[in-house]
């Protein structure tokens, strides 16, 4: 951490526990026999990219899912299946963020979408009594709000420029390797945090 003044965190898999397979199973239970294939098709068609960068609305996204769903499936069932991957905010991780903020400028940069945004803030409120992740950061940036997503250089640069941060003094933490590579391309110092490692393993002296 020598020379580090700022830390930019990823959200899913770093602060928020997620399990993509729960969403896969939930869609299969609704009759989507080839959800992984559909998910890949949606990626290729840029549907998810557009949803994560706010170019299409939640209603348009759910309509695209509805068109692939069996006739009896409701929007609420689709929404619940889509949000099934979102699990919990471990208290110890939130406490680490509170401690780190006493020593560093903290930022969040997350690829997410409007539906997940609402869902994980609800989880945070109901489980911890905290209405927003903004509480833990100097500023939180979400792809569907800023219109930029990792691993593209513009997303990282957006955060750096917004706060006049030096990349060489800024650590970026993410569980996804392509996002780490993207961050390194703009000069950020990086820490790849694949599961089962957590930020508690990295910042042991603080807890």
């Amino acid at each position: 951490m020598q020379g580090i003044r700022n830390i930019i965190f990823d959200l899913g898999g770093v602060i928020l526990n997620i399990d993509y397979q729960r969403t896969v199973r939930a869609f299969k239970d609704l009759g989507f026999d080839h959800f992984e294939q559909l998910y890949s098709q949606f990626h290729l068609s840029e549907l998810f990219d557009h949803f994560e960068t706010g170019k299409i609305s939640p209603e348009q996204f759910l309509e695209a899912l509805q068109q692939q769903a069996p006739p009896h499936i409701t929007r609420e069932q689709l929404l619940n299946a889509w949000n099934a991957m979102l699990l919990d905010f471990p208290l110890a991780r939130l406490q680490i963020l509170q401690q780190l903020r006493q020593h560093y400028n903290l930022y969040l940069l997350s690829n997410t979408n409007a539906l997940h945004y609402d869902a994980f803030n609800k989880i945070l409120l109901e489980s911890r009594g905290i209405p927003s992740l903004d509480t833990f950061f100097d500023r939180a940036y979400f792809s569907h709000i800023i219109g930029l997503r990792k691993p593209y250089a513009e997303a990282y640069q957006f955060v750096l420029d917004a706060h006049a941060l030096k990349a060489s003094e800024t650590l970026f933490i993410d569980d996804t390797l392509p996002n780490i590579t993207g961050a390194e391309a703009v000069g950020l110092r990086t820490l790849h945090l694949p599961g089962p490692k957590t930020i508690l393993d990295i910042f042991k002296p603080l807890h």
Side-chain angles (χ1 to χ4, degrees), residues 3 6 16 31 55 60 66 83 110 122 130 135 142 164 176 188 192 194 196 206:
N6 322 294
L16 169 67
K55 293 183 177 70
Q60 290 171 309
Q66 188 92 61
N83 288 338
S110 173
K122 183 179 180 182
I130 299 168
T135 304
F142 301 97
T176 304
L188 286 164
H192 185 212
L206 292 170

Side-chain angles (χ1 to χ4, degrees), residues 13 19 21 38-39 68 82-83 104 106 112 119 123 138-139 147 161 170 182 186 195 197-198 204:
D19 182 356
Q21 289 304 316
L38 176 64
Y39 193 80
Q68 304 293 328
W82 177 242
N83 288 338
Y104 303 94
L106 297 193
T112 191
I123 291 170
D138 292 78
R139 187 71 184 270
D161 291 346
T170 305
V186 299
K197 281 190 176 182
T198 74
K204 287 179 181 177

Side-chain angles (χ1 to χ4, degrees), residues 32 34-43 48 64-65 68:
F32 288 78
H34 306 288
F35 180 73
E36 295 99 327
Q37 182 180 347
L38 176 64
Y39 193 80
S40 296
Q41 288 173 352
F42 279 172
H43 270 294
F48 287 126
L65 288 177
Q68 304 293 328

